[in-house]
Amino acid sequence: LIYDAGDVTESLFEEIKRYVDFSAADEAALRSLYPVASPHFQRIAEIFYDRILSHGEARKALEGGESQVGRLKGTLVAWMAGLLQGPWDEAYFEKRCRIGRVHVRIALPQHYMFGAMNVLRREFNHVIDTAYAKDLEKLSAARTSVSKIMDLELAIMLHTYREDLLTQQARAERLATFGQLVGTIGHELRNPLAVMESSLHILKSRAPEDERTRKHLDRIAEQVVVANSIITSLLDIIRDVPPARDPVRLAEVVERSVRTAAPPEGVQLTVEGLSELPALRGDADQLRQVFVNLVQNAIQALPNGKGSVRIVGSHADGRLEVAVEDDGPGVDPETRLRLFEPLVTTKKKGVGLGLAWVKRIVERHGGVIAYEPVGRGARFVIRLPM
Ligand code: HEM
C-alpha cells in the first residue's frame, strides 16, 4: 500500500487524506463532536437498519434476520464512535478495510454503500445543525470534517471492492494459463502413451515365459491406464463437457461412491437422510466422482486412519443438500482461501486436482459447493437444484 508520490512516500490512506485535505483541524472538529453526537448513535443505528429493512432489495443482504440486525447495530455504534474519535491512522485504515471485506464477502452491491452513507450523513448533519445552531463557525467545521471522513470511508470501501476484483482477475488469468498449459501437455502426452500401449500389447502377445517379466508388463500397462486417466481428468476440468440430464437418485450415487472409496477398518462411515431425497437431473457418473473424491479426502484426513465420516442429505426450497463431514483436523485458513483451485493440495502425493474437479462438476449441474465447517473437522456442503 505504499505509493511513491514523487517526493514523498505515503500510504494509500495518507494519499487520499491529502486529496481531501483532511487536517489536524478536522481531527479536532471530529473529536469535539463526539460527546455531542454519541447520545444519538443508538437512534441513528436504528434509522440506518430500518432503512435497509424497508428497502426490498437492500434487505436481501441481511439474511440473518432480526438477530443479525441486533448484532450489527452494536457494530455500527462502535463504527460511529471510531469515526469521530480516531486516531485516523494506518490501524484505522486496516480496520475499515476489514469491514469493507466483510461487505465484499457477502457480495453487497456497492451502490448501497453510498445510499447507506447518505442516511448517516443526513443524521449527523441534523445533529450538528441542532447542536451548533448558535455557533456557525463550529457548525461549518463539524459539517466539513464529517463530510471528509465519510467520503474517506467510502473511498476505503471502494478500495476493498477493487482489491477483490483484482484478486479475482488474477485468479481467472492463472486459471486460463493453467488451462492452456494443461490442454497442450495433456494432448502431447496422449501420443507417447498410445505408443507404449500398443508396444505393450505386442510384447504381451509374445507371452513371455518369465513370470516376473509378465508381472512387470502388467504393471506398466496398469500405470499407462492411470496416466491416461489423469490426463482425462485434467482435460475434463478445462473442457466444459455438459453433464447428462438423466434422473439420478443421490442415495444410489453415494452408495456406489462409498464402495469405490472403500473405507478401511477403523473408519466409521454413516449415511443419513439420502434415501428420502427426491431424484434430480444430472450425470450419475460425474456425480459419483464428486462423492468418491470427497469421501476419499475425508478418509485420508482422519488422524491415524481412525475416526468417523458422515454423509448427510437434506432438501429445502427446491434444492438438495449433501454434506460430507469428517472429524479430522479441518482445513487451515490459508488453504481455505484457495481450496477449490487446481494445483492446491496439502497432501504429499496429491496434485491438487480433486476439489477443482469436484467444483467444476457441481457447477455444471447448476449447483454450488462450499466449505462450511461446524466446530472441529472438515465439512463440505454441496447444494444442487432438483
Ligand atoms: C455506510 C455504510 C455501512 C457501514 C458503515 C457498515 C458497517 C458495518 C460494520 C462495522 C460491520 C461489522 C463488520 C465486522 O463484522 O467486523 C458490518 C457488517 C455487515 N454489514 Fe454493513 N455497513 C454499511 C452498509 C451496509 C449495508 C447497506 C448493508 C446491507 C444492505 C450492510 C450489511 C452488512 C452485513 C450483512 C454485515 C454482516 C456480515 C457478516 O458478518 O456476515 N452493511 N457493516
Side-chain angles (χ1 to χ4, degrees), residues 157-217:
M157 287 174 183
L158 290 185
H159 168 71
T160 56
Y161 279 89
R162 181 178 148 76
E163 201 182 55
D164 181 60
L165 196 71
L166 292 177
T167 314
Q168 279 180 29
Q169 237 170 31
R171 184 175 302 158
E173 276 165 23
R174 252 201 335 267
L175 286 183
T177 315
F178 169 78
Q180 279 170 357
L181 194 69
V182 164
T184 316
I185 297 175
H187 284 297
E188 292 295 323
L189 285 178
R190 288 279 200 218
N191 290 335
L193 284 171
V195 174
M196 283 186 215
E197 226 167 0
S198 55
S199 296
L200 273 168
H201 194 67
I202 294 166
L203 278 179
K204 274 193 193 167
S205 68
R206 300 197 156 197
E209 296 292 304
D210 179 26
E211 175 78 19
R212 284 191 67 192
T213 309
R214 264 207 315 273
K215 198 177 104 192
H216 281 286
L217 284 177

XYZ file of all heavy atoms in Angstrom, residues 157-217:
493
model
N -14.086 1.755 1.328
C -14.997 0.676 0.925
C -14.789 0.331 -0.553
O -14.701 -0.831 -0.928
C -16.441 1.082 1.156
C -16.815 1.081 2.638
S -18.467 1.748 2.842
C -18.611 1.718 4.613
N -14.706 1.367 -1.385
C -14.490 1.093 -2.815
C -13.158 0.396 -3.034
O -13.030 -0.469 -3.891
C -14.527 2.396 -3.616
C -15.892 3.058 -3.733
C -15.809 4.256 -4.657
C -16.935 2.074 -4.264
N -12.169 0.808 -2.236
C -10.851 0.191 -2.359
C -10.926 -1.321 -2.124
O -10.312 -2.099 -2.842
C -9.892 0.853 -1.367
C -8.599 0.133 -1.199
N -7.633 0.108 -2.182
C -8.122 -0.632 -0.182
C -6.619 -0.619 -1.766
N -6.885 -1.085 -0.560
N -11.711 -1.737 -1.120
C -11.776 -3.177 -0.841
C -12.497 -3.920 -1.973
O -12.169 -5.050 -2.275
C -12.462 -3.492 0.509
O -13.756 -2.901 0.509
C -11.668 -2.982 1.672
N -13.465 -3.257 -2.593
C -14.128 -3.909 -3.734
C -13.148 -4.079 -4.898
O -13.125 -5.102 -5.568
C -15.361 -3.101 -4.185
C -16.578 -3.359 -3.330
C -16.824 -2.613 -2.186
C -17.481 -4.374 -3.667
C -17.939 -2.848 -1.404
C -18.602 -4.620 -2.881
C -18.818 -3.849 -1.750
O -19.914 -4.102 -0.977
N -12.334 -3.059 -5.103
C -11.367 -3.106 -6.194
C -10.319 -4.193 -5.931
O -9.948 -4.947 -6.823
C -10.691 -1.742 -6.324
C -9.686 -1.658 -7.420
C -9.100 -0.249 -7.497
N -7.724 -0.293 -7.949
C -7.352 -0.498 -9.190
N -8.250 -0.680 -10.120
N -6.080 -0.541 -9.527
N -9.887 -4.231 -4.675
C -8.916 -5.241 -4.242
C -9.446 -6.638 -4.589
O -8.741 -7.463 -5.157
C -8.845 -5.090 -2.726
C -7.666 -5.589 -1.998
C -7.916 -5.339 -0.497
O -8.946 -5.783 0.075
O -7.074 -4.690 0.106
N -10.720 -6.852 -4.294
C -11.346 -8.145 -4.535
C -11.398 -8.439 -6.039
O -11.127 -9.545 -6.485
C -12.759 -8.134 -3.947
C -13.457 -9.457 -4.139
O -12.932 -10.464 -3.627
O -14.497 -9.501 -4.807
N -11.739 -7.403 -6.810
C -11.823 -7.559 -8.254
C -10.474 -7.973 -8.836
O -10.376 -8.868 -9.673
C -12.260 -6.219 -8.852
C -12.768 -6.259 -10.271
C -14.128 -6.949 -10.294
C -12.906 -4.840 -10.806
N -9.401 -7.309 -8.338
C -8.065 -7.615 -8.841
C -7.670 -9.045 -8.490
O -7.071 -9.744 -9.294
C -7.042 -6.623 -8.261
C -7.189 -5.187 -8.757
C -6.195 -4.269 -8.072
C -7.015 -5.115 -10.267
N -8.033 -9.471 -7.270
C -7.715 -10.842 -6.874
C -8.425 -11.823 -7.793
O -7.849 -12.814 -8.251
C -8.186 -11.113 -5.420
O -7.786 -10.023 -4.633
C -7.632 -12.391 -4.869
N -9.708 -11.541 -8.054
C -10.471 -12.437 -8.927
C -9.898 -12.488 -10.332
O -9.822 -13.541 -10.952
C -11.917 -11.965 -9.019
C -12.757 -12.385 -7.850
C -14.173 -11.872 -8.013
O -14.651 -11.690 -9.116
N -14.837 -11.618 -6.914
N -9.480 -11.299 -10.810
C -8.907 -11.222 -12.148
C -7.629 -12.051 -12.232
O -7.439 -12.819 -13.167
C -8.544 -9.779 -12.436
C -9.204 -9.228 -13.668
C -8.981 -7.728 -13.733
O -7.958 -7.207 -13.261
N -9.933 -7.031 -14.296
N -6.782 -11.880 -11.206
C -5.516 -12.610 -11.187
C -5.792 -14.102 -11.177
O -5.133 -14.882 -11.864
C -4.702 -12.212 -9.964
N -6.807 -14.486 -10.413
C -7.157 -15.910 -10.323
C -7.638 -16.418 -11.686
O -7.226 -17.469 -12.150
C -8.252 -16.086 -9.271
C -8.602 -17.517 -9.039
C -9.601 -17.641 -7.913
N -9.104 -17.072 -6.676
C -9.880 -16.669 -5.682
N -11.186 -16.761 -5.780
N -9.354 -16.200 -4.572
N -8.484 -15.618 -12.344
C -9.013 -16.032 -13.642
C -7.868 -16.175 -14.647
O -7.835 -17.125 -15.434
C -10.035 -15.024 -14.136
N -6.910 -15.242 -14.582
C -5.780 -15.320 -15.514
C -4.942 -16.561 -15.245
O -4.526 -17.248 -16.158
C -4.901 -14.074 -15.385
C -5.437 -12.931 -16.228
C -4.817 -11.604 -15.851
O -3.710 -11.567 -15.284
O -5.474 -10.578 -16.121
N -4.724 -16.816 -13.937
C -3.945 -18.006 -13.588
C -4.623 -19.253 -14.125
O -3.994 -20.143 -14.674
C -3.839 -18.102 -12.066
C -2.471 -17.793 -11.552
C -2.165 -18.322 -10.174
N -3.253 -18.557 -9.279
C -3.712 -17.675 -8.397
N -3.187 -16.477 -8.343
N -4.698 -17.985 -7.588
N -5.941 -19.297 -13.965
C -6.681 -20.478 -14.403
C -6.647 -20.618 -15.920
O -6.554 -21.716 -16.447
C -8.128 -20.425 -13.918
C -8.312 -20.703 -12.443
C -9.784 -20.708 -12.073
C -7.689 -22.032 -12.046
N -6.715 -19.480 -16.623
C -6.687 -19.541 -18.079
C -5.336 -20.075 -18.554
O -5.261 -20.953 -19.417
C -6.954 -18.163 -18.662
N -4.252 -19.567 -17.944
C -2.917 -20.039 -18.311
C -2.798 -21.523 -18.000
O -2.300 -22.309 -18.801
C -1.837 -19.289 -17.480
O -2.179 -17.923 -17.489
C -0.470 -19.513 -18.027
N -3.295 -21.874 -16.822
C -3.245 -23.265 -16.401
C -3.984 -24.148 -17.417
O -3.500 -25.192 -17.835
C -3.900 -23.381 -15.018
C -4.161 -24.786 -14.567
C -3.131 -25.565 -14.071
C -5.423 -25.336 -14.658
C -3.366 -26.861 -13.667
C -5.673 -26.626 -14.248
C -4.636 -27.389 -13.754
N -5.143 -23.682 -17.842
C -5.954 -24.449 -18.785
C -5.220 -24.692 -20.085
O -5.166 -25.820 -20.580
N -4.588 -23.639 -20.602
C -3.869 -23.784 -21.871
C -2.721 -24.769 -21.742
O -2.533 -25.652 -22.578
C -3.289 -22.436 -22.295
C -4.319 -21.552 -22.960
C -3.794 -20.144 -23.141
O -2.683 -19.831 -22.713
N -4.596 -19.304 -23.750
N -1.982 -24.597 -20.646
C -0.816 -25.454 -20.413
C -1.240 -26.914 -20.301
O -0.680 -27.805 -20.944
C -0.162 -24.992 -19.111
C 1.216 -25.508 -18.833
C 2.195 -24.890 -19.804
C 1.626 -25.135 -17.400
N -2.250 -27.121 -19.481
C -2.711 -28.487 -19.252
C -3.242 -29.098 -20.547
O -2.960 -30.251 -20.873
C -3.826 -28.483 -18.178
C -4.591 -29.783 -18.200
C -3.213 -28.275 -16.817
N -3.969 -28.312 -21.308
C -4.525 -28.803 -22.568
C -3.415 -29.271 -23.480
O -3.443 -30.387 -24.011
N -2.382 -28.439 -23.608
C -1.288 -28.783 -24.516
C -0.545 -30.023 -24.024
O -0.347 -30.984 -24.778
C -0.283 -27.601 -24.589
O -1.039 -26.414 -24.700
C 0.654 -27.739 -25.737
N -0.150 -29.988 -22.759
C 0.638 -31.115 -22.238
C -0.186 -32.398 -22.316
O 0.305 -33.449 -22.721
C 1.100 -30.854 -20.786
C 2.025 -29.648 -20.756
C 1.794 -32.068 -20.209
C 2.460 -29.222 -19.369
N -1.443 -32.285 -21.916
C -2.322 -33.464 -21.927
C -2.373 -34.098 -23.303
O -2.120 -35.297 -23.456
N -2.623 -33.279 -24.317
C -2.712 -33.837 -25.667
C -1.379 -34.415 -26.117
O -1.326 -35.471 -26.730
C -3.183 -32.765 -26.651
C -4.646 -32.505 -26.517
N -5.591 -33.488 -26.777
C -5.335 -31.415 -26.133
C -6.795 -32.989 -26.554
N -6.670 -31.733 -26.149
N -0.289 -33.723 -25.781
C 1.031 -34.196 -26.198
C 1.374 -35.542 -25.559
O 2.061 -36.358 -26.150
C 2.111 -33.170 -25.823
C 2.020 -31.877 -26.598
C 2.296 -32.089 -28.086
O 3.167 -32.908 -28.414
O 1.603 -31.446 -28.907
N 0.900 -35.738 -24.331
C 1.238 -36.993 -23.645
C 0.421 -38.171 -24.155
O 0.820 -39.321 -23.996
C 1.028 -36.841 -22.134
C 2.091 -36.039 -21.396
C 1.739 -35.923 -19.918
C 3.462 -36.702 -21.534
N -0.734 -37.878 -24.729
C -1.565 -38.972 -25.241
C -0.799 -39.823 -26.263
O -0.898 -41.038 -26.246
C -2.813 -38.423 -25.944
C -3.836 -37.831 -25.012
C -4.681 -38.919 -24.378
N -5.914 -38.343 -23.882
C -6.499 -38.696 -22.760
N -5.959 -39.628 -21.988
N -7.615 -38.134 -22.396
N -0.039 -39.162 -27.144
C 0.651 -39.904 -28.206
C 1.674 -40.899 -27.677
O 1.577 -42.091 -27.973
C 1.305 -38.948 -29.212
C 0.229 -38.241 -30.013
O -0.887 -38.762 -30.163
N 0.534 -37.052 -30.492
N 2.653 -40.429 -26.871
C 3.602 -41.426 -26.340
C 2.910 -42.528 -25.548
O 3.323 -43.693 -25.608
C 4.534 -40.613 -25.445
C 3.979 -39.244 -25.367
C 3.019 -39.072 -26.481
N 1.844 -42.198 -24.842
C 1.148 -43.232 -24.068
C 0.506 -44.251 -25.009
O 0.519 -45.459 -24.736
C 0.083 -42.603 -23.165
C 0.629 -41.922 -21.913
C -0.467 -41.137 -21.199
C 1.237 -42.948 -20.953
N -0.011 -43.758 -26.134
C -0.638 -44.680 -27.085
C 0.415 -45.613 -27.672
O 0.182 -46.819 -27.842
C -1.317 -43.884 -28.197
N 1.620 -45.064 -27.935
C 2.703 -45.903 -28.469
C 3.065 -46.973 -27.444
O 3.208 -48.156 -27.760
C 3.933 -45.038 -28.833
C 5.102 -45.916 -29.252
C 3.577 -44.040 -29.916
N 3.183 -46.551 -26.186
C 3.522 -47.515 -25.119
C 2.471 -48.613 -25.056
O 2.784 -49.793 -24.910
C 3.545 -46.818 -23.759
C 4.768 -45.994 -23.518
S 4.695 -45.406 -21.816
C 5.426 -43.843 -21.974
N 1.222 -48.186 -25.164
C 0.126 -49.141 -25.059
C 0.209 -50.200 -26.160
O 0.102 -51.396 -25.891
C -1.196 -48.389 -25.180
C -2.196 -48.795 -24.136
C -3.364 -47.816 -24.086
O -3.385 -46.827 -24.859
O -4.251 -48.052 -23.271
N 0.470 -49.748 -27.394
C 0.483 -50.743 -28.463
C 1.723 -51.621 -28.374
O 1.663 -52.824 -28.639
C 0.325 -50.089 -29.840
O 1.314 -49.121 -29.990
N 2.859 -51.033 -27.939
C 4.053 -51.867 -27.778
C 3.835 -52.913 -26.691
O 4.260 -54.061 -26.826
C 5.256 -51.011 -27.407
O 5.537 -50.140 -28.451
N 3.176 -52.511 -25.629
C 2.889 -53.455 -24.546
C 2.027 -54.599 -25.055
O 2.231 -55.764 -24.710
C 2.125 -52.734 -23.425
C 2.986 -52.047 -22.387
C 2.130 -51.137 -21.519
C 3.690 -53.085 -21.507
N 1.067 -54.213 -25.882
C 0.153 -55.197 -26.443
C 0.945 -56.257 -27.212
O 0.760 -57.471 -27.043
C -0.813 -54.458 -27.368
C -1.985 -55.266 -27.743
N -2.946 -55.645 -26.830
C -2.337 -55.810 -28.936
C -3.851 -56.366 -27.437
N -3.512 -56.491 -28.722
N 1.916 -55.768 -28.021
C 2.737 -56.691 -28.821
C 3.587 -57.567 -27.911
O 3.634 -58.787 -28.045
C 3.624 -55.899 -29.806
C 2.723 -55.197 -30.827
C 4.634 -56.808 -30.494
C 3.425 -54.132 -31.638
N 4.213 -56.919 -26.934
C 5.076 -57.686 -26.022
C 4.288 -58.780 -25.310
O 4.744 -59.911 -25.172
C 5.682 -56.752 -24.979
C 6.910 -55.964 -25.399
C 7.380 -55.069 -24.257
C 8.040 -56.918 -25.797
N 3.079 -58.395 -24.852
C 2.267 -59.374 -24.112
C 1.841 -60.519 -25.010
O 1.746 -61.671 -24.569
C 1.029 -58.692 -23.544
C 1.262 -58.033 -22.202
C -0.088 -57.708 -21.645
C -0.058 -56.799 -20.487
N -1.396 -56.298 -20.207
N 1.555 -60.167 -26.287
C 1.072 -61.221 -27.184
C 2.171 -62.256 -27.442
O 1.930 -63.360 -27.871
C 0.581 -60.616 -28.494
O 1.691 -60.092 -29.170
N 3.427 -61.875 -27.143
C 4.515 -62.847 -27.312
C 4.648 -63.724 -26.075
O 5.583 -64.514 -25.982
C 5.823 -62.120 -27.565
C 5.729 -61.294 -28.807
C 7.083 -60.914 -29.286
N 7.009 -60.648 -30.701
C 8.044 -60.590 -31.506
N 9.252 -60.789 -31.026
N 7.887 -60.335 -32.766
N 3.757 -63.532 -25.144
C 3.654 -64.347 -23.931
C 4.992 -64.750 -23.352
O 5.434 -65.891 -23.511
C 2.803 -65.582 -24.206
N 5.677 -63.828 -22.723
C 6.991 -64.189 -22.166
C 6.881 -65.315 -21.137
O 5.900 -65.386 -20.405
C 7.438 -62.887 -21.505
C 6.243 -62.018 -21.436
C 5.247 -62.494 -22.425
N 7.893 -66.162 -21.155
C 7.926 -67.307 -20.238
C 8.042 -66.844 -18.793
O 7.389 -67.345 -17.909
C 9.160 -68.177 -20.545
C 9.145 -68.806 -21.911
C 8.058 -69.856 -22.009
O 8.066 -70.773 -21.185
O 7.173 -69.719 -22.904
N 8.928 -65.874 -18.655
C 9.293 -65.455 -17.313
C 8.131 -64.774 -16.569
O 7.584 -63.769 -17.017
C 10.483 -64.481 -17.462
C 10.932 -63.967 -16.117
O 10.712 -64.673 -15.114
O 11.454 -62.835 -16.070
N 7.785 -65.325 -15.431
C 6.671 -64.823 -14.595
C 6.862 -63.354 -14.219
O 5.959 -62.538 -14.323
C 6.632 -65.701 -13.345
C 5.636 -65.282 -12.282
C 4.216 -65.689 -12.641
O 4.061 -66.590 -13.517
O 3.292 -65.112 -12.096
N 8.099 -63.026 -13.807
C 8.353 -61.650 -13.346
C 8.246 -60.651 -14.487
O 7.745 -59.552 -14.320
C 9.737 -61.560 -12.706
C 9.728 -62.180 -11.319
C 10.995 -61.873 -10.585
N 11.104 -60.452 -10.279
C 12.226 -59.888 -9.845
N 13.317 -60.627 -9.711
N 12.264 -58.611 -9.557
N 8.704 -61.053 -15.667
C 8.582 -60.142 -16.815
C 7.109 -59.870 -17.087
O 6.703 -58.722 -17.304
C 9.234 -60.764 -18.062
O 10.529 -61.185 -17.716
C 9.295 -59.767 -19.195
N 6.302 -60.937 -17.020
C 4.851 -60.772 -17.273
C 4.237 -59.825 -16.243
O 3.463 -58.940 -16.555
C 4.151 -62.143 -17.204
C 3.977 -62.780 -18.580
C 2.778 -63.723 -18.625
N 2.655 -64.620 -17.507
C 3.249 -65.815 -17.435
N 4.016 -66.250 -18.414
N 3.066 -66.582 -16.381
N 4.644 -60.047 -15.000
C 4.104 -59.213 -13.923
C 4.450 -57.738 -14.154
O 3.607 -56.844 -14.009
C 4.706 -59.673 -12.582
C 3.909 -59.198 -11.374
C 4.474 -59.721 -10.079
C 5.218 -58.596 -9.391
N 6.042 -59.031 -8.274
N 5.690 -57.509 -14.574
C 6.091 -56.116 -14.776
C 5.424 -55.500 -15.991
O 5.095 -54.311 -15.988
C 7.606 -56.008 -14.843
C 8.213 -56.051 -13.471
N 8.138 -54.992 -12.599
C 8.833 -57.050 -12.797
C 8.709 -55.325 -11.451
N 9.134 -56.591 -11.551
N 5.206 -56.318 -17.005
C 4.486 -55.796 -18.182
C 3.066 -55.384 -17.765
O 2.562 -54.335 -18.171
C 4.423 -56.844 -19.294
C 5.726 -57.035 -20.076
C 5.565 -58.154 -21.104
C 6.124 -55.739 -20.778
